Amino acid sequence: MSTRKTILSKAQLQKRVSELGAQISRDYSGKSLVLIGVLNGAFIFMADLARAIELEHVQVDFIRVSSYGKSSESSGEITLSKDVELDLEDKDVLLVEDIIDTGRTLAWLHHSFQQRKAASVRICTLIDKSERREVDIQPDYTGFVVAEGFLVGYGLDYAEDFRHFPEISHLELS
Ligand code: IMP
Ligand code: MG
């Protein structure tokens, strides 16, 4: 049995994503931005964020890593199961992630993208969950800081379920 308690409504998500889009548009003015979404969790955030960015040139690609297995406990192991296909040389890369928890996934990705001769590599996360941080990694753009709990919806899953909910909720398992 599980119960859900909404912590971020559709309207709150929409407002904050618009603000992030405006900030990114200002910061990358005149540049060639490449958004790289981290699958599967970032797919909804990425789709909304891309449409909130008002730049002439924005390319989009995805990467897939897994660090979680099928439960809410991190396995600690990161595997790359889909790489980017765009050429990133001299591009301004923005990694788009759903949530930072321990920080291991993004630290690993950030390091890996710095090897690829991109002009810059920055991080945008919808949620920064600070409670279990193990690696010192600071996102450049953060939607919301959430202290604790396991979250689902708006792309976030529990055992691949619940990604489709339009709001973000705390999941309580009993
Ligand atoms: P990290 O490597 O511990 O920072 O884990 C990051 C990944 O774990 C995220 O991309 C999510 O896929 C997953 N994750 C961490 N916390 C949550 C959560 O509260 N709900 C759903 N997925 C989570
Ligand atoms: Mg994820």
Side-chain angles (χ1 to χ4, degrees):
M1 259 281 292
S2 66
T3 51
R4 288 180 294 115
K5 189 168 155 257
T6 299
I7 60 156
L8 295 168
S9 68
K10 256 167 100 164
Q12 283 173 296
L13 288 164
Q14 191 181 34
K15 178 171 178 288
R16 187 68 189 121
V17 173
S18 301
E19 289 167 359
L20 287 172
Q23 194 185 344
I24 290 165
S25 306
R26 283 194 298 275
D27 293 354
Y28 287 88
S29 168
K31 298 196 169 165
S32 307
L33 178 61
V34 183
L35 296 176
I36 298 182
V38 184
L39 292 171
N40 290 340
F43 82 111
I44 293 179
F45 176 42
M46 176 82 157
D48 286 346
L49 183 68
R51 285 176 289 182
I53 295 175
E54 294 179 9
L55 291 173
E56 196 57 29
H57 299 284
V58 179
Q59 293 181 315
V60 167
D61 205 345
F62 291 92
I63 192 166
R64 183 159 190 190
V65 293
S66 60
S67 62
Y68 252 71
K70 288 198 166 56
S71 70
S72 61
E73 288 299 311
S74 174
S75 68
E77 262 173 59
I78 294 157
T79 50
L80 177 67
S81 47
K82 185 215 171 294
D83 203 351
V84 276
E85 285 160 48
L86 289 176
D87 179 9
L88 302 180
E89 193 164 340
D90 298 328
K91 300 278 176 57
D92 289 293
V93 168
L94 185 59
L95 295 170
V96 179
E97 175 64 303
D98 52 355
I99 186 164
I100 305 186
D101 185 17
T102 65
R104 287 202 201 118
T105 308
L106 268 175
W108 186 87
L109 276 177
H110 193 246
H111 179 75
S112 134
F113 277 81
Q114 277 173 332
Q115 322 287 312
R116 301 186 193 215
K117 299 186 188 152
S120 67
V121 182
R122 286 189 184 166
I123 294 168
C124 175
T125 188
L126 178 65
I127 292 169
D128 184 342
K129 203 166 74 173
S130 47
E131 150 190 65
R132 301 201 304 171
R133 191 61 48 82
E134 290 170 14
V135 181
D136 182 26
I137 180 137
Q138 291 298 326
D140 300 279
Y141 302 94
T142 301
F144 301 91
V145 176
V146 175
E148 57 183 5
F150 196 82
L151 310 180
V152 295
Y154 198 72
L156 291 159
D157 74 304
Y158 174 70
E160 294 303 323
D161 201 359
F162 310 130
R163 293 193 197 274
H164 64 300
F165 294 128
E167 67 283 325
I168 292 184
S169 312
H170 264 144
L171 183 71
E172 278 148 33
L173 296 165
S174 50

